[in-house]
Each structure stands twice: as structure tokens, then as C-alpha cells.
Amino acid sequence: MTDTSSSPLVEEKVEDEAVTEASGLSPRLIFETIRRHGDEELRRPINTLFWSGVAAGILISFSVLGEAYLRAYLPDADWRFIFENLGYSLGFLLVILGRMQLFTENTITTVVPAVINPCRAVFARVATLWSVVLMANLIGAFVIAVFLVYTPVLTPELLAIVTDLSKHATGFPPVEGLVRGIPAGILIAAIVWMLPSAQNNEILLIIIFTWLIALGDFTHIIAGSVEMAVLAVQGLISAEQAVFGFFLPVLVGNVIGGTAVFTMMTYAQIRPEIDDAE
């Protein structure tokens, strides 16, 4: 004779699991996932962070190249701008799915542990990681810029398109570059926030959000650094203009968008739950 006394409990457990799977991760669980990932990043050796950051600076160049190739081969029509900006997603796919160290990702990932445990030691580790990764990304950007400009990897026509794209991306006035960097920082942070619950839709998520960055002409410090480096190694931009006209304003904008806006907003959303749990 079959014992059916536990059937209601089994059915209830199955239903709970189905509801959990259908509803996805709660904001608190997403926040906790990012916090744990941030803790792991803060404990990684400096040399590991550095070389991963250099690789990210090199690979993000495929965002510029993706746009350039699409512009070269698409017909010169009003709608070309919309489709050529899809190429911007290529570098981000390589970097994010490859788990490389990209500075703008760390404006939310490593800040979450600092928000939860705001002490001098954590802030020092965050500052160290930011400095190492940003410098490594910048080195990678200049390495690939030299390769693109001084080797025959690109035809003269394609190099001219890359140069034209670079002039546009770095040509905003400093204040406008800063302001345009805020939405870019928010969108990159949104990718980090949504990836844990993407449920095998990571590629589509990254493409949509990074395409929006390009479509909106929002400024991104690392992809933009490749474009800045392309101009710099050709002598088409001065050091003063590169640092004070582009790099620093966009850096501030991305940090504001990724950290001050997005991280604090998401933390405010789940803070009552964290306080209740404590």
C-alpha cells in the first residue's frame, strides 16, 4: 500500500521551487551575489588584476573595430548609424563573458562590499583595485592602438574610419563628456546587476545595453581610451586635450553613474531587507 501522507508536502515544495524559478532572483539575492563577487575581486592578487586589465584594454578595442567594419560595409543610408552601433557590443561581449577586469564593471562590483562594510581597510582595497585595473586598461588600450596604427592589420580605408570614429567619441567638450559618461556608467552597472538573473540570456543583455551606449553617444572611459590612444599615437590629439578634455571628465561621469547613482539606488532598494535580516 502506498503512503500518500507526504504528497501535499512534496507538491508544495515542487510548487515553491517552480515559483522561485519563474520569478527569478530577488533584489536582495542579486545584491548578495554581487557582494560575494566583489569580495572575491578584492582578494585577488595585484598581478592577476593587472594582466586581466591589460587583456580587457586590448579586447575592448573590438568595440571600435566592430563599428568600423559595419560602417565600411553598410550602405551610406540614414539607418546605417543604428546598425553600425551594434558593432560596439563586440568588445564588451569579449570582456564581460571572458571575465576580464574592466574598470567600469568594478564601479559597482567592488563598491557593494564597501557599502556593506564601510571601513578604511575595504576602501583602501577598492582604491587599489580601481587604480590597478584602470592603469592596466589604459596600457592595453595604447598597446592595441599602436598595433592598429603601425601594422598593416587595417587597410588605409578602415584606419581612416577608426580615426573618424575616434575623433567623434573624444571630441565632446569636457562638461558634455562628463554628463554623457553618467548614462554609460549606469548602463554598465545595470548589466552587472542583471547578469545574475539573466538565465542564459547574457549575450542578448550585453548587446542591448552596450548598443544603447553607442546609440546614445554616451562616453565610456575604456572603449573611449582606445579611441583616444588611436588619436594620440598618430599625433592627432595633445596630451592636455586627451587627459583634461576627455579622460578625466569621462572617468568622473562613469564613476558617478556606476557608483553614486546606480549602486546607491540599488542599495537603498534592498537596505530595509538587510536591516531586518540583521
Side-chain angles (χ1 to χ4, degrees):
M1 183 175 180
T2 304
D3 182 10
T4 58
S5 59
S6 61
S7 295
L9 294 177
V10 173
E11 291 178 1
E12 183 178 355
K13 182 178 179 180
V14 171
E15 289 177 357
D16 289 342
E17 291 176 352
V19 170
T20 301
E21 183 178 353
S23 60
L25 296 178
S26 69
R28 179 182 172 185
L29 289 177
I30 295 174
F31 194 85
E32 177 62 17
T33 300
I34 296 173
R35 185 196 67 77
R36 293 185 182 184
H37 179 56
D39 281 337
E40 292 175 4
E41 295 297 304
L42 292 174
R43 288 195 297 266
R44 292 182 69 183
I46 296 297
N47 64 327
T48 303
L49 294 171
F50 176 80
W51 290 113
S52 180
V54 171
I58 293 172
L59 290 177
I60 202 69
S61 66
F62 284 92
S63 287
V64 184
L65 293 175
E67 279 192 273
Y69 276 103
L70 287 177
R71 175 175 290 191
Y73 294 110
L74 287 173
D76 188 7
D78 293 337
W79 48 263
R80 186 182 70 179
F81 177 77
I82 297 175
F83 287 95
E84 74 178 36
N85 282 305
L86 284 169
Y88 190 77
S89 301
L90 182 57
F92 288 93
L93 285 168
L94 291 170
V95 171
I96 296 174
L97 295 181
R99 299 297 296 270
M100 304 297 178
Q101 288 290 331
L102 189 67
F103 174 78
T104 45
E105 281 190 90
N106 283 311
T107 58
I108 178 172
T109 304
T110 56
V111 169
V112 169
V115 171
I116 296 295
N117 182 26
C119 65
R120 183 178 299 178
V122 175
F123 286 135
R125 284 188 291 166
V126 171
T128 300
L129 184 145
W130 280 20
S131 301
V132 170
V133 171
L134 182 60
M135 180 59 66
N137 287 166
L138 194 57
I139 291 172
F142 271 89
V143 168
I144 194 62
V146 170
F147 177 74
L148 295 176
V149 172
Y150 291 110
T151 69
V153 65
L154 297 180
T155 64
E157 292 78 14
L158 277 170
L159 180 57
I161 293 174
V162 170
T163 301
D164 185 58
L165 289 170
S166 300
K167 289 178 179 179
H168 174 75
T170 60
F172 297 108
V175 174
E176 186 175 351
L178 187 154
V179 173
R180 287 180 177 272
I182 295 175
I186 293 174
L187 288 170
I188 293 297
I191 293 174
V192 175
W193 178 261
M194 296 174 70
L195 277 176
S197 58
Q199 297 181 349
N200 300 319
N201 292 312
E202 295 91 344
I203 293 176
L204 182 60
L205 174 69
I206 295 169
I207 289 175
I208 291 174
F209 278 69
T210 53
W211 173 63
L212 285 174
I213 293 175
L215 192 63
D217 263 345
F218 303 135
T219 49
H220 184 270
I221 187 59
I222 307 305
S225 288
V226 173
E227 294 164 316
M228 177 187 73
V230 165
L231 297 179
V233 299
Q234 295 182 83
L236 300 176
I237 188 173
S238 67
E240 181 180 0
Q241 183 183 358
V243 174
F244 297 103
F246 171 78
F247 189 82
L248 290 180
V250 174
L251 175 64
V252 172
N254 285 174
V255 170
I256 290 174
T259 299
V261 175
F262 194 90
T263 305
M264 298 307 173
M265 285 176 62
T266 53
Y267 178 59
Q269 179 186 180
I270 56 89
R271 184 173 180 178
E273 298 178 49
I274 294 177
D275 293 339
D276 290 341
E278 294 176 350

